[in-house]
Amino acid sequence: MAVKISTISTLIVFLALLSLGHFSHGELRLGSYSETCPNVEEIVFGVVEKAFSTNSRLAPLMIRLYFHDCFSNGCDASLLLDSTTSPNEKTAGPNLSVDGYALIDAVKDELENKCEGVVSCADTIALVTRDLAHLASGKKARYEIPTGRFDGRESLASSVDLPGTQMSVSDTFEMFKKRKLNLTDMVLLLGGHTIGVTHCSLIMDRLYKFNNTQNPDPAMDRNLVKELRRKCPENSEQNRAINLDQNVSSSNIVDASFYKQIKSRRGILQIDDQLAKDEMTKQIVTDLAEGNDFLARFGQAMVKLGSYGVKDQDTGEIRTSCRSCNDFCTA
Ligand code: HEM
Ligand SMILES: *[C@@H]1O[C@H](CO)[C@@H](O)[C@H](O)[C@H]1NC(C)=O
Ligand SMILES: *[C@@H]1O[C@H](CO)[C@@H](O)[C@H](O)[C@H]1NC(C)=O
Ligand SMILES: *[C@@H]1O[C@H](CO)[C@@H](O)[C@H](O)[C@H]1NC(C)=O
Ligand SMILES: *[C@@H]1O[C@H](CO)[C@@H](O)[C@H](O)[C@H]1NC(C)=O
């Protein structure tokens, strides 16, 4: 009998905790909109697929935007807020381009038409990013992404805390650890550099005057240095775009070739080549370059990143417009 009572009271406590979690902690779960906006995934994909068909640049733009939003004060769409006062995350962060913000606005408008006041901007970013990664992989990758994020009410320039390209692997890892991401997650997420571009201005030091010398970065393949010096001459006015994945047949495709490239010292950013060189990460890079599970694992790492710093209904809101808070907020 005693056993029975304690089992029942454990069950009651468990159920109480469960409902508490449900009502006040905004736990992420698959299908969180199944009652309130059952077609949310179809609505989002419809707008995204159309936009991607005329502008495939949206995929790298949005994958980077998702990373920056999540790293700066959590995945709460605070990066989307237009500044009303002092510099905020949007004005302080690297310019993520009007196209990315316009796509989010278009998707959000459609969601408001079909399910008014229901789907958060933070979930919109997560779903749009997932769909773009899917499309940019040639539909080979598709991960399920849990929802239930609320939108943050604060966006401060001082919350922008992003790794720099010249940081060491271990210093970079410290920043990922703070966001509850482990070393493998970090290597997987840097696989985001399998698509998109950087610009000459950000790699000039590697090509000409690395680390206060008159030489290029010894970690970069000699032939690649030559090639990039042609594309990025010194004292040039134009700041050309350079593919982060130097495999010409897959520069715009989400796949594992980035890891093969960095193993051949053909990474573009210093941190990319360091990833393949550093004792801490080189085995993980080799496994990803040689394995065939990058797409599935990248998805899981994106899901994990997407759970960082999530707001609930006490600490956040469901914005009507992704560019401004419903009532007062610090942006
Ligand atoms: C860990 C340190 C990281 C550093 C230092 C870094 C740095 C950079 C830099 C400097 C650029 C080029 C920007 C430009 O020239 O306009 C870039 C582009 C990009 N990054 Fe990262 N990044 C990091 C991690 C990540 C992660 C975790 C993701 C996503 C999961 C990501 C996704 C991207 C994408 C997709 C682009 C291309 C953007 C475009 O084509 O417009 N990065 N990154
Ligand atoms: C940054 O974004 C603004 C629009 O928000 C655009 O007008 C400007 O050209 C962009 N700057 C750069 C350097 O890309
Ligand atoms: C990193 O996290 C992932 C997913 O949460 C887990 O599967 C993996 O074992 C972890 N790796 C290490 C090295 O801790
Ligand atoms: C840069 O140079 C310093 C000393 O001149 C050296 O200790 C350091 O390892 C170099 N950094 C890289 C990334 O090569
Ligand atoms: C380049 O990409 C193709 C297809 O996307 C892939 O099959 C090949 O292994 C890649 N090669 C290297 C060296 O990265």
Side-chain angles (χ1 to χ4, degrees):
M1 193 60 191
V3 171
K4 219 171 181 180
I5 288 169
S6 82
T7 308
I8 290 168
S9 52
T10 307
L11 191 71
I12 290 169
V13 169
F14 176 73
L15 287 175
L17 284 174
L18 205 72
S19 66
L20 229 139
H22 184 71
F23 289 114
S24 69
H25 292 293
E27 284 283 301
L28 297 182
R29 60 187 175 88
L30 290 175
S32 73
Y33 295 114
S34 61
E35 305 283 313
T36 51
C37 190
N39 297 324
V40 60
E41 305 231 348
E42 288 82 357
I43 296 168
V44 173
F45 188 68
V47 180
V48 172
E49 192 177 31
K50 209 168 155 199
F52 179 80
S53 70
T54 61
N55 182 7
S56 61
R57 283 277 309 139
L58 288 165
L61 286 171
M62 200 61 60
I63 291 173
R64 188 164 185 238
L65 187 149
Y66 175 75
F67 164 54
H68 285 196
D69 182 45
C70 290
F71 249 60
S72 304
N73 200 34
C75 309
D76 65 354
S78 50
L79 180 62
L80 301 179
L81 293 169
D82 285 332
S83 174
T84 53
T85 53
S86 43
N88 69 352
E89 283 178 33
K90 201 180 206 173
T91 53
N95 207 330
L96 290 170
S97 143
V98 271
D99 290 356
Y101 298 119
L103 174 60
I104 295 291
D105 289 341
V107 172
K108 176 66 172 170
D109 283 352
E110 192 62 17
L111 289 169
E112 288 299 298
N113 285 339
K114 303 259 167 69
C115 318
E116 198 182 335
V118 168
V119 183
S120 69
C121 296
D123 281 341
T124 304
I125 296 178
L127 292 167
V128 167
T129 304
R130 186 277 307 277
D131 288 346
L132 285 167
H134 168 63
L135 292 166
S137 72
K139 302 198 177 178
K140 287 188 182 141
R142 190 174 184 283
Y143 52 92
E144 296 298 331
I145 182 113
T147 49
R149 298 167 187 79
F150 283 71
D151 299 325
R153 293 198 189 88
E154 181 184 281
S155 174
L156 303 172
S158 55
S159 307
V160 178
D161 180 25
L162 295 163
T165 56
Q166 305 190 350
M167 281 170 51
S168 67
V169 169
S170 72
D171 287 350
T172 306
F173 179 44
E174 288 303 314
M175 300 190 68
F176 280 75
K177 249 200 292 198
K178 264 197 218 158
R179 277 90 176 169
K180 303 184 169 59
L181 296 161
N182 66 32
L183 202 59
T184 314
D185 299 327
M186 180 178 92
V187 176
L188 285 165
L189 288 168
L190 266 155
H193 290 171
T194 179
I195 50 169
V197 297
T198 186
H199 298 87
C200 290
S201 57
L202 293 180
I203 57 168
M204 291 306 270
D205 62 317
R206 294 197 79 197
L207 303 181
Y208 297 98
K209 294 186 167 99
F210 183 69
N211 201 12
N212 297 318
T213 67
Q214 295 300 313
N215 305 312
D217 184 346
M220 188 188 276
D221 173 73
R222 289 298 102 179
N223 291 324
L224 181 60
V225 170
K226 270 189 217 150
E227 202 183 310
L228 292 175
R229 280 180 166 187
R230 276 197 301 276
K231 289 181 178 156
C232 305
E234 277 182 301
N235 311 314
S236 164
E237 290 289 296
Q238 53 171 308
N239 191 13
R240 284 174 68 168
I242 304 292
N243 289 328
L244 290 168
D245 177 352
Q246 282 290 310
N247 182 342
V248 288
S249 58
S250 78
S251 295
N252 300 313
I253 299 172
V254 171
D255 64 5
S257 91
F258 168 75
Y259 298 104
K260 292 184 190 160
Q261 294 295 313
I262 63 177
K263 268 177 73 71
S264 316
R265 300 154 39 106
R266 292 170 56 80
I268 296 298
L269 303 176
Q270 190 175 324
I271 184 65
D272 296 345
D273 274 336
Q274 288 306 316
L275 218 52
K277 242 185 116 185
D278 196 285
E279 289 299 328
M280 284 171 79
T281 45
K282 70 185 200 190
Q283 189 57 47
I284 307 173
V285 169
T286 299
D287 292 345
L288 287 165
E290 291 170 0
N292 54 11
D293 54 359
F294 166 68
L295 291 179
R297 294 178 68 193
F298 177 67
Q300 290 322 298
M302 290 289 274
V303 168
K304 198 167 167 186
L305 171 63
S307 69
Y308 174 69
V310 164
K311 306 298 183 288
D312 60 27
Q313 63 187 37
D314 298 327
T315 54
E317 62 178 12
I318 306 293
R319 273 180 231 150
T320 305
S321 154
C322 293
R323 291 175 184 261
S324 57
C325 295
N326 295 343
D327 301 309
F328 172 77
C329 72
T330 317

